[in-house]
Amino acid sequence: MSTLRRMCWIFPDRESTRATAMWHTFFWDMYAEVAAELGISWTMHAPDAVTVDGLRPGEPRVYVDGERVTPDDTLFITALYSLPYQSMDVFNQYALYAVLEQAGFYLPFPPWLSPIANDKLATVLHLADSPVPPIPTLRIGTGRDVGKHLYEVALGGLTYPAIVKPAGWCGGGGVNLARDAEEIRGLASLAQGGDTTLVVQPYLGDGTVDYRVYVVNGEPYAVMKRIPEPGSPVANASRGGAMEFPPVPPELAAATAYFAEKLPIPFFCVDFLFDGERYWFSELEPDGVIAPDFGDPARALQRDVTRARWTAYRDAHARHHDTRELVTL
């Protein structure tokens, strides 16, 4: 019997009213609905909603919006979010994740993996021996001395056009095409305004397709294929890309065992790019959006993948709970 009753998603509470309404319809409401079918609540909370009473040595008490929660009945979903309007929350997210882990809570996405998954170069370095080759990547800091162009020492081997994008954002935001080093200079000077670190990657060509593989308990569960609009360098749905849900390509299914070994967590997404001839490993998304198939009014695939994700979390929480009990004994 599972003792899990709550899944609390820690997410900076800074969305606009328009974005909040869109995300509720797109997947938040589905997440809560499927969790309820499993007898679990799924709720979203800003980092400051969590209060921890550590006055009793070895007996921390944790409250979410004033309500007591325990490691037995609650898990926290703690993937890092660092979009520009969330930047002031980054440290609070990291610190809270560490506190919750030390307090004994099960975190399906552990804190040590946050910087690896959030920074695109850290991701490809951590998974450099992937059977699907990582896309070549270089990283540029954009602080007060960006006008000195010191980063250009690394641009000698770059081919153009090149993709320039933030190192830690998501959803296709900030992705640009640079046709020469001068355009990289311009993008870096703009990024300086928000101290936004950039990554630069070779452009694989018009029509490059994005495949997101949903991995549950180490197995490829489903895939979302995203096709860019003509002339767009990015295939995200938020940038006008079209979505399809084909069978998992055999090459990507075969590679899943490698990613599951390197990432021993119950659910994550791996994004691959296909340039028409070969696949490239692109990004890791531990909290990747389970998008709806708008061609199906019942949204059966989205519901199925979400149920598999929550079930995997519930089972992993039970194993964590049993391990804690053994340690206590």
Side-chain angles (χ1 to χ4, degrees):
M1 291 290 293
S2 173
T3 62
L4 182 64
R5 297 293 176 263
R6 298 185 62 166
M7 294 187 292
C8 296
W9 185 40
I10 302 301
F11 183 74
D13 186 17
R14 299 188 184 276
E15 298 295 290
S16 70
T17 54
R18 291 187 179 93
T20 297
M22 179 183 69
W23 295 132
H24 270 290
T25 303
F26 202 71
F27 62 94
W28 288 352
D29 291 346
M30 174 69 77
Y31 286 3
E33 181 181 333
V34 173
E37 293 171 0
L38 297 172
I40 307 167
S41 69
W42 178 93
T43 50
M44 177 175 55
H45 304 275
D48 56 306
V50 182
T51 302
V52 182
D53 173 3
L55 294 176
R56 301 171 184 81
E59 298 180 25
R61 292 171 175 261
V62 178
Y63 302 85
V64 177
D65 286 332
E67 181 179 350
R68 175 83 184 276
V69 298
T70 72
D72 292 341
D73 59 41
T74 300
L75 65 78
F76 289 90
I77 302 170
T78 52
L80 179 70
Y81 281 83
S82 59
L83 288 167
Y85 53 89
Q86 300 162 332
S87 60
M88 66 289 292
D89 292 296
V90 168
F91 177 75
N92 283 339
Q93 291 178 79
Y94 271 129
L96 178 58
Y97 303 166
V99 169
L100 293 172
E101 184 178 52
Q102 294 304 311
F105 285 87
Y106 173 64
L107 310 180
F109 184 54
W112 67 265
L113 203 47
S114 275
I116 292 173
N118 194 257
D119 187 285
K120 292 175 174 58
L121 180 56
T123 300
V124 299
L125 290 175
H126 183 66
L127 301 166
D129 54 349
S130 163
V132 177
I135 188 165
T137 302
L138 65 88
R139 187 176 187 274
I140 292 175
T142 59
R144 288 172 293 177
D145 285 331
V146 72
K148 302 298 181 183
H149 309 135
L150 300 176
Y151 59 83
E152 292 189 4
V153 68
L155 300 184
L158 189 66
T159 59
Y160 296 96
I163 291 290
V164 182
K165 58 186 177 181
W169 294 5
C170 58
V175 179
N176 290 274
L177 195 62
R179 293 167 181 81
D180 53 37
E182 183 59 34
E183 290 194 0
I184 291 180
R185 285 185 174 187
L187 293 169
S189 66
L190 288 173
Q192 178 191 28
D195 282 332
T196 301
T197 301
L198 300 175
V199 293
V200 185
Q201 300 170 333
Y203 182 48
L204 301 181
D206 292 346
T208 296
V209 175
D210 180 291
Y211 286 84
R212 167 165 294 179
V213 178
Y214 297 100
V215 183
V216 181
N217 287 329
E219 298 292 332
Y221 198 87
V223 67
M224 176 174 61
K225 179 181 179 181
R226 296 180 288 190
I227 305 166
E229 285 188 316
S232 174
V234 62
N236 298 69
S238 58
R239 296 281 296 273
M243 295 184 295
E244 299 176 358
F245 297 86
V248 181
E251 184 176 342
L252 304 186
T256 303
Y258 163 83
F259 289 96
E261 182 179 355
K262 297 284 284 190
L263 305 163
I265 56 179
F267 172 87
F268 58 90
C269 303
V270 190
D271 290 352
F272 300 92
L273 301 176
F274 183 66
D275 62 10
E277 297 182 359
R278 64 186 298 187
Y279 291 100
W280 298 87
F281 165 53
S282 176
E283 297 182 21
L284 168 67
E285 297 286 354
D287 191 29
V289 170
I290 302 174
D293 180 358
F294 289 115
D296 175 13
R299 296 163 71 164
L301 182 61
Q302 184 187 33
R303 184 178 299 275
D304 181 40
V305 178
T306 301
R307 182 181 295 107
R309 179 183 181 181
W310 296 160
T311 301
Y313 281 5
R314 182 189 63 190
D315 294 346
H317 172 268
R319 292 191 295 270
H320 175 81
H321 179 272
D322 291 344
T323 300
R324 289 181 64 248
E325 289 290 317
L326 289 172
V327 170
T328 302
L329 292 175

